[in-house]
């Protein structure tokens, strides 16, 4: 589950949000940049860092906006904006035929399988699952923010926005392997 580390900046941002959106955005940016540095030093290929690079870009923009306009109504939509950004990232990688999960999956898959159509298809399906989950979560959080939903509901939606696709990601490759083993 190497891909979960890529979500650390988002978790930092969520956990520190009670301190104010400026500081949580800045912390997310610092965490995102640190994650990139650690991964580059570990020798990871750029295609394994798509999520991290997108995350750093998001937090750079959010930090600038948050400090320039700290009273902006955008602060109420932080969770929705985060998931919308992740959704755009995931859908864009699919549109470019370079699903963001591909580089991550290559880290634990023998190189001779990297061009295998089944391996590629599994990553398209997994990336689509993440993209759909991010999209649904962004929509639900936007509706929740507009309706001034309680924090508990928003946190639950955000957790499900990560947990559901993570569980799918953990289980789906085994389902495909079992199907092809028959």
């Amino acid at each position: 589950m190497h891909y979960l580390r890529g979500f650390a900046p988002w978790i930092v941002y969520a956990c520190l949000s009670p301190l104010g959106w400026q500081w949580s955005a800045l912390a997310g940016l610092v965490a995102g940049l640190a994650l990139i540095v650690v991964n580059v030093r570990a020798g990871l290929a750029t295609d394994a860092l798509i999520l991290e690079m997108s995350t750093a870009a998001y937090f750079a923009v959010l930090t600038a906006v948050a400090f320039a306009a700290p009273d902006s109504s955008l602060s109420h939509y932080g969770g929705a904006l985060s998931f919308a950004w992740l959704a755009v990232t995931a859908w864009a990688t699919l549109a470019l035929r370079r699903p963001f999960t591909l580089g991550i999956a290559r880290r634990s898959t023998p190189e001779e399988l990297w061009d295998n159509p089944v391996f590629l298809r599994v990553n398209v399906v997994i990336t689509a699952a993440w993209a759909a989950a991010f999209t649904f979560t962004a929509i639900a959080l936007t509706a929740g923010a507009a309706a001034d939903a309680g924090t508990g509901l928003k946190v639950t939606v955000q957790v499900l926005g990560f947990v559901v696709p993570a569980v799918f990601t953990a289980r789906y490759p085994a389902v495909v392997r079992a199907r092809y083993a028959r």
Side-chain angles (χ1 to χ4, degrees):
M1 291 214 187
H2 297 289
Y3 58 88
L4 290 179
R5 273 186 263 160
F7 295 116
W10 302 96
I11 295 167
V12 167
Y13 170 70
C15 290
L16 296 180
S17 62
L19 300 177
W21 75 309
Q22 305 95 318
W23 301 108
S24 57
L26 181 60
L29 174 59
V30 169
L33 293 173
L35 191 59
I36 291 171
V37 169
V38 166
N39 287 328
V40 167
R41 285 186 178 165
L44 292 184
T46 305
D47 69 342
L49 300 175
I50 292 170
L51 185 63
E52 289 84 350
M53 292 184 290
S54 175
T55 294
Y58 172 80
F59 281 117
V61 170
L62 186 67
T63 299
V65 170
F67 278 99
D71 297 325
S72 170
S73 61
L74 285 178
S75 67
H76 300 293
Y77 294 90
L81 289 170
S82 298
F83 277 92
W85 184 277
L86 288 168
V88 167
T89 299
W91 289 119
T93 66
L94 287 170
L96 295 170
R97 298 180 185 257
R98 301 294 302 165
F100 82 87
T101 60
L102 195 58
I104 300 165
R106 286 181 176 156
R107 294 168 53 188
S108 60
T109 303
E111 190 171 349
E112 58 269 12
L113 296 177
W114 290 2
D115 293 323
N116 182 304
V118 175
F119 175 73
L120 298 172
R121 180 69 184 145
V122 164
N123 278 280
V124 167
V125 170
I126 289 173
T127 299
W130 281 99
F134 293 152
T135 302
F136 175 78
T137 304
I139 292 168
L141 290 172
T142 301
D148 204 25
T151 302
L153 178 61
K154 289 188 268 188
V155 168
T156 300
V157 169
Q158 288 179 6
V159 168
L160 289 173
F162 285 117
V163 170
V164 170
V167 169
F168 178 78
T169 299
R171 294 183 178 171
Y172 182 67
V175 169
V176 173
R177 279 191 295 275
R179 185 180 312 147
Y180 280 93
R182 287 186 242 146

